[in-house]
Amino acid sequence: MSESSQPQQVNLAALSLEQLEMVKEQVENEIQTLSDSMLQLKHAATKYLEAKEAIQGLAGAEGKEILVPLTSSLYLPGKINCKDKVMVDIGTQYFIEMDLEQGQGFTNRKVQLIQDQVNKVQQAVNVKRNHLDQIIQVAQQKIQLIKQQQAAAAKK
């Protein structure tokens, strides 16, 4: 990675209060975006964990009656007739037939991959929060300095 792609360091003390406020809003928006992404990742991980539990529930379930979801609100009755194979959505509505062990391995790998991404996003959020704290601290120092200057001018 070249140095030009690295974020540039800004001397916060050199910025005006208005500029600090703009930078603060930008960092807050970035934190919100990252937090939203983290929630979406956690939701996806939950879906894969649910799929894993469903696969586990299929062991020894041949002939068992179930409700098959056609949409989020429409279910039809059905029977499990193949106890050792599952159809796994590998992404963008592509399905692959796998045995139960392969299906569980797939869901485990996906959950781990998502958890790794959640950890990376969490680290980015922590960095952004540290930046936000620094911005707020500099802004408070500037406000305090302005108040001191105004008090000194009022005494004259």
Side-chain angles (χ1 to χ4, degrees), residues 1-7:
M1 206 187 292
S2 68
E3 286 189 43
S4 63
S5 65
Q6 295 290 328

Side-chain angles (χ1 to χ4, degrees), residues 65-118:
E65 291 191 12
I66 60 169
L67 289 175
V68 179
L70 293 181
T71 67
S72 61
S73 61
L74 179 63
Y75 294 82
L76 291 178
K79 282 190 178 183
I80 298 174
N81 65 358
C82 184
K83 65 179 179 187
D84 58 348
K85 297 283 184 189
V86 291
M87 295 295 288
V88 177
D89 183 352
I90 60 169
T92 61
Q93 299 298 309
Y94 285 100
F95 292 85
I96 294 181
E97 187 175 281
M98 297 180 181
D99 64 31
L100 296 180
E101 188 176 315
Q102 289 172 324
Q104 286 198 341
F106 178 80
T107 57
N108 286 337
R109 288 188 303 276
K110 283 295 197 177
V111 168
Q112 185 60 49
L113 177 70
I114 292 170
Q115 189 59 48
D116 292 345
Q117 293 301 314
V118 167

Side-chain angles (χ1 to χ4, degrees), residues 16 41 49 73 91 142 148:
S16 68
L41 287 168
L49 289 172
S73 61
K142 285 188 174 275
Q148 289 173 353

Side-chain angles (χ1 to χ4, degrees), residues 141-156:
Q141 290 171 353
K142 285 188 174 275
I143 291 169
Q144 187 65 28
L145 181 61
I146 291 170
K147 286 181 181 179
Q148 289 173 353
Q149 290 172 346
Q150 288 173 344
K155 288 183 182 178
K156 291 184 181 179

Side-chain angles (χ1 to χ4, degrees), residues 21-70:
E21 182 62 30
M22 288 175 25
V23 172
K24 177 181 171 259
E25 287 178 22
Q26 180 182 359
V27 171
E28 286 173 338
N29 289 339
E30 290 171 359
I31 290 172
Q32 184 62 45
T33 300
L34 289 169
S35 296
D36 291 345
S37 295
M38 198 163 41
L39 285 175
Q40 290 173 351
L41 287 168
K42 287 180 179 181
H43 179 71
T46 300
K47 291 292 186 184
Y48 278 109
L49 289 172
E50 289 171 356
K52 179 182 175 185
E53 289 175 12
I55 292 170
Q56 287 173 339
L58 290 175
E62 189 170 11
K64 184 177 179 181
E65 291 191 12
I66 60 169
L67 289 175
V68 179
L70 293 181

